[in-house]
């Protein structure tokens, strides 16, 4: 049994969880970006439309931001301040089923279908080439645009990446939803539709408070980021996007039945897989497999308290993409 000292992680009980939640609710400085006036809707010549955010330095060098799921395209103020100081413009297109971007006609999303929308957006904004930062399932969409237009994408920096899983061994070090879904795909594919709906229902109906309690019970190290005063507004914003605009596709906005390994294997630009050292909701063994097997893929493990690595290590990420711009 572990010694009960200051260095041992503590298991948080209900009372402590309620105290943390109260502190979050009481916090005043809820600064996060983009603001509502930094969100725009572009009508495309195809008849579709795309919603996107445009923040940071408006005259700076462009960086594409491919968002995660319920968190939408939100960045914390400190990260945006650093990007602005380094003269970077952050452009975050909202994928199909998020915000006002035209949704898919089919039952599940297809990353390649998003490519023409983003290329049209880049043309409209005068962006010839840009590095891309992604989170979670945003990696797959990033790989799709790099495959279709390699001259437009300088690099992909994929935080908390969702990765192809070929066998159970690839899930070593993983827990939570990102274990459950690929494990089901390997062994119980008929259950995927139900599991994806259940996961989405949890975010939609249980909301930030339930999520916070789950974090407090399962991963004490994540308390560091959960207690930030800007976390709860971020979660509420992402949840509102889904509630108000609707959602088509499964929880990760991906078709899990598709084999998208070729997109990773043949990606024509460098790919960084960026994982927080205490993140257990990502496919660790798969990340090691692909970074060892593919010369253009590297694995970067950064210190942080959990899967919010791009918020906690924004200086390193921005420094990387700045170097990519100059390459």
């Amino acid at each position: 049994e572990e010694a009960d000292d200051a260095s041992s992680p503590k298991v948080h009980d209900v009372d402590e969880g309620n105290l943390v939640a109260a502190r979050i609710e009481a916090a005043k400085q809820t600064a996060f970006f983009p603001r509502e006036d930094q969100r725009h809707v572009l009508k495309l010549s195809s008849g579709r439309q795309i919603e996107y955010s445009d923040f940071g330095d408006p005259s700076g060098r462009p960086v594409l931001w491919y968002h995660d799921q319920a968190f939408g395209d939100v960045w914390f103020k400190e990260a945006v301040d650093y990007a602005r100081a380094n003269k970077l413009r952050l452009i975050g297109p909202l994928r199909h089923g998020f915000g006002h971007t035209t949704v898919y006609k089919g039952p599940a999303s297809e990353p390649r279908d998003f490519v023409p929308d983003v290329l049209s957006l880049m043309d409209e904004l005068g962006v010839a080439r840009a590095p891309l930062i992604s989170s979670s399932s945003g990696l797959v969409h990033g790989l799709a645009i790099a495959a279709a237009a390699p001259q437009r994408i300088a690099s992909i920096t994929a935080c908390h990446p969702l990765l192809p899983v070929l066998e159970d061994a690839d899930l070593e070090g993983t827990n939570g939803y990102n274990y459950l879904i690929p494990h089901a795909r390997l062994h119980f594919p008929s259950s995927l539709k139900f599991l994806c709906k259940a996961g989405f229902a949890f975010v939609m109906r249980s909301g930030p408070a339930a999520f916070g309690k789950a974090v407090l019970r399962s991963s004490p190290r994540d308390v560091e980021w959960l207690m930030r005063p800007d976390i709860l507004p971020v979660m509420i914003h992402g949840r509102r996007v889904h509630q108000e605009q609707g959602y088509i596709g499964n929880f990760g906005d991906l078709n899990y039945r598709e084999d998208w390994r070729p997109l990773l294997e043949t990606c024509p630009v460098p790919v960084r897989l960026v994982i927080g050292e205490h993140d257990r909701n990502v496919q660790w063994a798969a990340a090691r497999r692909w970074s060892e097997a593919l010369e253009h893929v590297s694995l970067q493990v950064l210190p942080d308290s959990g899967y919010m690595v791009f918020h906690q290590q924004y200086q390193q990420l921005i420094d990387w993409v700045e170097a990519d711009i100059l390459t």
Side-chain angles (χ1 to χ4, degrees):
E1 188 171 307
E2 285 189 351
D4 186 20
D5 59 32
S7 63
S8 300
K10 299 295 190 290
V11 176
H12 297 267
D13 60 22
V14 173
D15 290 336
E16 187 170 357
N18 289 336
L19 176 62
V20 171
R23 288 174 178 170
I24 294 172
E25 292 280 10
K28 300 298 182 184
Q29 58 268 44
T30 55
F32 61 95
F33 290 82
R35 301 299 195 188
E36 288 306 311
D37 63 352
Q38 294 166 325
R39 300 183 186 281
H40 312 279
V41 177
L42 175 66
K43 301 280 187 184
L44 304 174
S45 60
S46 64
R48 297 175 54 77
Q49 66 181 25
I50 183 170
E51 181 174 339
Y52 68 97
S53 56
D54 193 347
F55 55 108
D57 182 346
S59 60
R61 297 162 295 178
V63 176
L64 287 177
W65 161 239
Y66 272 23
H67 62 81
D68 189 6
Q69 298 161 3
F71 291 99
D73 57 348
V74 175
W75 283 47
F76 295 151
K77 181 179 184 300
E78 293 89 341
V80 176
D81 286 346
Y82 191 74
R84 187 182 294 114
N86 287 273
K87 302 187 183 306
L88 295 180
R89 177 187 184 187
L90 304 172
I91 300 170
L94 290 184
R95 299 201 307 267
H96 305 138
F98 293 82
H100 294 273
T101 299
T102 305
V103 298
Y104 290 98
K105 294 180 179 178
S109 67
E110 162 55 71
R112 295 179 189 87
D113 289 347
F114 190 41
V115 171
D117 291 356
V118 178
L119 292 177
S120 294
L121 174 64
M122 293 175 72
D123 291 340
E124 181 73 18
L125 299 179
V127 176
R129 184 171 180 265
L132 187 151
I133 301 177
S134 69
S135 181
S136 190
S137 57
L139 168 60
V140 192
H141 294 265
L143 294 172
I145 193 171
Q151 73 281 7
R152 309 293 295 270
I153 305 299
S155 64
I156 297 173
T157 299
C159 305
H160 181 65
L162 188 69
L163 291 160
V165 171
L166 308 184
E167 56 191 39
D168 287 345
D170 287 338
L171 294 171
E172 178 187 351
T174 309
N175 61 23
Y177 198 73
N178 282 353
Y179 175 92
L180 180 63
I181 292 298
H183 184 269
R185 181 179 58 78
L186 288 173
H187 301 290
F188 313 103
S190 61
S191 69
L192 277 179
K193 186 176 181 180
F194 166 76
L195 289 173
C196 290
K197 284 186 175 181
F200 181 59
F202 173 73
V203 172
M204 286 287 289
R205 296 172 187 169
S206 300
F211 179 81
K213 288 181 181 178
V215 170
L216 289 170
R217 290 175 180 172
S218 67
S219 183
R221 290 186 177 93
D222 278 345
V223 174
E224 177 187 333
W225 69 261
L226 187 65
M227 286 196 60
R228 292 181 56 133
D230 37 14
I231 284 288
L232 193 61
V234 168
M235 297 186 67
I236 290 172
H237 166 75
R239 188 167 174 242
R240 176 181 62 79
V241 168
H242 286 290
Q243 285 178 319
E244 293 184 359
Q245 302 300 331
Y247 188 81
I248 293 181
N250 63 29
F251 186 55
D253 193 30
L254 290 172
N255 183 345
Y256 284 91
R257 294 168 295 181
E258 183 183 355
D259 180 1
W260 50 275
R261 281 176 291 171
L263 285 177
L264 181 61
E265 292 169 339
T266 63
C267 184
V269 305
V271 178
R272 295 185 189 92
L273 306 179
V274 183
I275 303 178
E277 63 178 335
H278 300 304
D279 187 354
R280 292 297 172 264
N281 197 29
V282 68
Q283 297 89 14
W284 272 95
R288 288 193 293 268
R289 169 205 285 268
W290 295 112
S291 62
E292 292 169 0
L294 303 174
E295 187 175 348
H296 60 279
V297 177
S298 63
L299 174 59
Q300 305 289 338
V301 180
L302 300 182
D304 92 336
S305 67
Y307 66 86
M308 299 291 280
V309 63
F310 83 90
H311 283 308
Q312 294 186 329
Q313 295 293 333
Y314 59 84
Q315 293 186 3
Q316 177 62 79
L317 267 62
I318 289 173
D319 289 347
W320 275 332
V321 300
E322 274 200 295
D324 296 338
I325 290 171
L326 299 174
T327 301

